[in-house]
Amino acid sequence: MLKTRLAYFSEQPQNYHLQLKVNAVTGTEIVPTSEAKAFIRVDTSDDDTIIGDMVTTARIACENYLGKDIVAKNRTLYIPFLNDRVNLPFAPVASISSITIDGNSATHTVKGLDNEILELDETPAREVKITYITSGLSGGHLEHAIKQLVSSYYDNRADFVTGTIVTDLPTNVRVLLAGDKNVFI
């Protein structure tokens, strides 16, 4: 048994990559454009579209930093090869829509505080596709972090800013998000 299992693992490609796709955004922004405008003290409607886009961009930056969804989404994860269990990215997971191995339905067990750990009954497995729905996070600290980031984006709309680096999340945003950050990735 051990020899067969080792042979199976040794024939696996060394450089395989997970693929993650957002099929649909099912939730709404937790920071409305009107709140972002009030936070950054904009009184006109001239920049409403730009500020709305900045709210979405800021939320996505916060989600990527945390490794969790703030707005609920339908996602598909593709795994070319799976040994035994998988941690679903961007939990909390509200539900699993489908799991297939080589195109056939698969059975599983859900574990973890946010239902983010799946153990498949058939492992090792090739060509695993998992479609799931995340529930998203909420909280005043998340809203404030998004508003802070929108403010930074709005104040630094030009390509060139003297004396500052705008490629990273500002320290105050990272501090606000720290309590929800997934530190085990």
Side-chain angles (χ1 to χ4, degrees), residues 24-39:
V25 176
T26 57
T28 59
E29 294 294 345
I30 65 171
V31 175
T33 302
S34 59
E35 286 185 23
K37 284 176 57 178
F39 187 83

Side-chain angles (χ1 to χ4, degrees), residues 19-56:
Q19 296 175 359
L20 183 62
K21 175 181 165 184
V22 175
N23 303 317
V25 176
T26 57
T28 59
E29 294 294 345
I30 65 171
V31 175
T33 302
S34 59
E35 286 185 23
K37 284 176 57 178
F39 187 83
I40 59 177
R41 297 183 184 103
V42 173
D43 297 331
T44 68
S45 60
D46 295 345
D47 289 343
D48 282 6
T49 302
I50 293 168
I51 294 170
D53 291 344
M54 288 178 179
V55 167
T56 301

